[in-house]
Amino acid sequence: MKLYDGGRAPNPRRVRVFLAEKGVTVPTEQVDLGALAHKAPAFTAINPLQRVPALVLDDGTILAESIAICRYIEALHPEPPLFGSGAKDAAIVEMWQRRVELHLLFPVAHVFRNSHPAMKDMEVPQVPAWAEANKPRVLEFLAMLDGELKDRRHIAGDRYSVADITGLVSVDFMKPAKLAVPETLGNLKRWHAEVSARPSAKA
Ligand SMILES: N[C@@H](CCC(=O)N[C@@H](CS)C(=O)NCC(=O)O)C(=O)O
């Protein structure tokens, strides 16, 4: 197996945090996004969508999409369960992972990609108005999540899950997008401090 990683980019980090939670090590090759190495023929042959992460299996199968990779790792290493256990718990984790991805990670990414000068060769064309349009969406979702976190420890329940991984990566990605978590969101800040203190957060 070989993981094609992407430095500080959020999606590869989701997979690294997931692997760290599982205690699994995978041989890794860094793809230099800054040098546009993901657009070169060698990596395009691995992922024609020119995005990281990608996981190449020993039989040559290529898995892209962070959550697909995480699900594969979960199936190989079921403990600790990060996609929930049992029908109801797994559905709740799926619901929250997807909500965080669609309503937090993607809007933060739209802000970053459409406003940061370093992204001009990757987000073509950059649309500054789309960055602006997504800023209030990020804050609205965070306010909703803060309310949810009033009564539970983690995003999808009392147990840490892949939804927390997507949440952690999204909130940390707000910094380069020049967005801040409002001080008033105390539940969210408590949750973020807790998940950030886990050793996996360093991945
Ligand atoms: N849906 C994909 C998204 C992958 C993705 O967008 N990766 C970014 C880094 S976080 C990337 O490779 N960007 C390169 C580019 O936009 O040119 C996943 O979940 O893995």
Side-chain angles (χ1 to χ4, degrees):
M1 242 196 265
K2 184 173 177 182
L3 178 67
Y4 287 85
D5 197 356
R8 285 182 299 173
N11 282 295
R13 184 173 176 227
R14 288 205 277 176
V15 171
R16 291 198 307 272
V17 173
F18 194 92
L19 289 168
E21 286 287 338
K22 293 284 182 182
V24 171
T25 312
V26 174
T28 297
E29 181 173 323
Q30 289 299 330
V31 180
D32 187 347
L33 298 186
L36 300 182
H38 60 300
K39 293 186 184 286
F43 187 74
T44 303
I46 293 164
N47 185 1
L49 282 179
Q50 302 180 322
R51 301 276 175 134
V52 286
L55 182 69
V56 181
L57 309 187
D58 292 341
D59 70 357
T61 303
I62 296 164
L63 298 178
E65 299 300 325
S66 308
I67 294 299
I69 295 170
C70 292
R71 282 197 177 278
Y72 179 74
I73 301 296
E74 176 98 347
L76 293 183
H77 304 276
E79 294 298 328
L82 295 177
F83 281 92
S85 32
K88 189 169 84 172
D89 191 35
I92 290 171
V93 171
E94 179 72 26
M95 175 178 81
W96 279 106
Q97 195 296 125
R98 197 73 179 125
R99 283 175 161 177
V100 175
E101 189 172 64
L102 289 171
H103 299 286
L104 185 59
L105 181 57
F106 288 2
V108 174
H110 292 322
V111 173
F112 178 71
R113 296 178 67 96
N114 287 281
S115 63
H116 201 290
M119 292 304 292
K120 70 173 178 9
D121 294 328
M122 282 187 242
E123 189 68 23
V124 183
Q126 277 187 314
V127 182
W130 184 230
E132 289 306 313
N134 277 280
K135 288 180 181 176
R137 295 176 185 182
V138 170
L139 298 178
E140 274 164 33
F141 185 82
L142 289 181
M144 185 278 288
L145 196 54
D146 182 73
E148 294 286 326
L149 287 165
K150 182 164 71 69
D151 297 321
R152 60 180 189 265
R153 185 170 167 199
H154 291 299
I155 290 181
D158 287 327
R159 194 192 277 183
Y160 182 90
S161 76
V162 69
D164 295 294
I165 296 177
T166 299
L168 168 73
V169 164
S170 304
V171 170
D172 289 349
F173 191 33
M174 288 174 62
K175 193 172 175 190
K178 298 191 167 50
L179 296 164
V181 175
E183 286 303 323
T184 50
L185 303 185
N187 304 313
L188 189 87
K189 285 190 166 281
R190 184 269 307 153
W191 161 84
H192 184 251
E194 189 176 329
V195 293
S196 298
R198 297 172 78 94
S200 62
K202 293 186 179 58

